[in-house]
């Protein structure tokens, strides 16, 4: 993979090298890869560690999912409960980190985080600005304040704003705290492609940066490590 990982492209000024068409294609490629894992393979496979370092880019910037070391086969009919939570802080779905409930929606949550990172050029957690909190909290704040355009990475702000807005909204929906409110990856892909409409966003969930969530999420990951 000559172009390394998505993380390589987004390091320091790397995000500015990604054009809007490239970002759009990467997001769609990842969605298609997850749709294959969740629906084309029987029983389905849950990746459990969707993040920029595990998304590799070939010479034509086609995105491929990598590192299946944490992947787990799931049941087609019910969620998988596990006492050993695996994944990377910031990308792990809350219900999985807190209760060990693993479903296809766990990968959808991670995918939503990656969408927001790609669209904004920001990392899931801004270590240089502690007041910004997690990317989900920041995006919700910007959107509710009518400042959606500020979510877009500066290098792509002059472009197809309506389509970019759709991608951000899908990212917000996929990374919603409530499992039932997240779309399946197939539904998310159709929303991204404009095949189906995006439902009205539900009420804003409690910010993940809230102390009660932070301590519980960290404890869940540390106890299972």
């Amino acid at each position: 993979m000559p172009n390394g990982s998505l993380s390589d492209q987004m390091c320091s000024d790397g995000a500015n090298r990604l054009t809007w068409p490239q970002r759009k294609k990467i997001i769609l490629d990842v969605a298609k890869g997850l749709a294959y894992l969740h629906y084309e393979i029987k029983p389905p496979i849950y990746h459990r560690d969707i993040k920029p370092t595990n998304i590799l880019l070939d010479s034509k910037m086609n995105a491929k999912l990598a590192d299946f070391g944490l992947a787990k086969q799931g049941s087609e009919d019910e969620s998988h409960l596990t006492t050993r939570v695996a994944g990377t802080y910031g990308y792990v779905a809350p219900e999985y980190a807190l209760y060990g409930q693993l479903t296809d929606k766990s990968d959808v949550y991670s995918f939503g985080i990656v969408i927001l990172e790609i669209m904004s050029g920001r990392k899931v957690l801004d270590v240089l600005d502690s007041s910004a909190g997690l990317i989900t909290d920041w995006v919700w704040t910007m959107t509710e304040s009518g400042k959606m355009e500020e979510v877009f990475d500066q290098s792509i702000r002059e472009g197809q704003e309506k389509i970019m807005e759709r991608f951000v909204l899908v990212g917000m929906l996929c990374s919603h705290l409530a499992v039932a409110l997240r779309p399946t990856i197939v539904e998310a892909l159709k929303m991204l492609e404009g095949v189906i409409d995006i439902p009205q966003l539900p009420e804003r969930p409690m910010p993940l940066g809230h102390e009660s969530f932070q301590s519980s999420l960290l404890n869940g990951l540390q106890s299972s490590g």
Side-chain angles (χ1 to χ4, degrees):
M1 291 294 177
N3 281 307
S5 70
L6 175 60
S7 179
D8 295 333
Q9 296 292 327
M10 296 181 69
C11 282
S12 62
D13 64 344
N16 295 328
R17 293 200 300 268
L18 288 175
T19 64
W20 160 236
Q22 288 174 329
R23 295 175 200 236
K24 178 180 178 182
K25 188 175 189 313
I26 289 169
I27 292 171
L28 292 176
D29 284 348
V30 174
K32 291 173 183 176
L34 280 175
Y36 176 79
L37 293 177
H38 291 179
Y39 292 97
E40 298 299 321
I41 296 176
K42 304 296 181 183
I45 291 179
Y46 305 142
H47 188 282
R48 294 205 297 173
D49 203 18
I50 301 297
K51 58 183 179 180
T53 53
N54 288 339
I55 297 170
L56 302 184
L57 304 168
D58 67 14
S59 59
K60 296 182 179 180
M61 297 298 284
N62 295 308
K64 309 289 185 181
L65 291 176
D67 194 348
F68 285 77
L70 298 181
K72 182 177 282 291
Q73 284 189 327
S75 167
E76 297 180 52
D77 302 315
E78 58 187 27
S79 64
H80 178 83
L81 295 177
T82 178
T83 56
R84 188 180 186 283
V85 177
T88 302
Y89 179 68
Y91 300 93
V92 178
E95 76 281 355
Y96 179 44
L98 294 174
Y99 312 115
Q101 181 185 14
L102 176 66
T103 70
D104 59 323
K105 298 290 186 73
S106 305
D107 279 348
V108 169
Y109 178 89
S110 306
F111 173 62
I113 297 294
V114 170
I115 291 178
L116 299 182
E117 287 187 296
I118 292 174
M119 294 303 298
S120 67
R122 297 169 69 111
K123 293 184 179 298
V124 61
L125 181 61
D126 190 344
V127 295
L128 299 178
D129 183 6
S130 58
S131 63
L134 292 173
I135 194 170
T136 46
D137 303 337
W138 174 72
V139 171
W140 274 91
T141 298
M142 292 295 102
T143 302
E144 290 180 334
S145 302
K147 300 177 181 178
M148 170 74 81
E149 70 282 355
E150 293 189 22
V151 172
F152 309 146
D153 191 14
Q154 198 163 11
S155 66
I156 62 171
R157 286 185 184 175
E158 295 182 7
Q160 303 175 39
E161 286 84 0
K162 283 296 181 182
I163 298 178
M164 292 181 194
E165 181 176 323
R166 183 169 76 224
F167 274 59
V168 171
L169 290 174
V170 173
M172 294 171 68
L173 194 59
C174 287
S175 58
H176 199 283
L177 288 185
V179 184
L181 298 180
R182 291 177 215 150
T184 64
I185 193 61
V186 169
E187 292 169 337
L189 178 58
K190 289 180 179 179
M191 292 177 198
L192 291 168
E193 294 176 328
V195 176
I196 61 176
D197 293 333
I198 300 173
Q200 183 175 354
L201 281 183
E203 291 186 7
R204 182 183 185 181
M206 179 185 291
L208 269 177
H210 192 276
E211 289 183 3
S212 62
F213 271 119
Q214 289 301 298
S215 58
S216 297
L217 288 171
L218 283 171
N219 288 337
L221 287 172
Q222 290 172 351
S223 62
S224 60

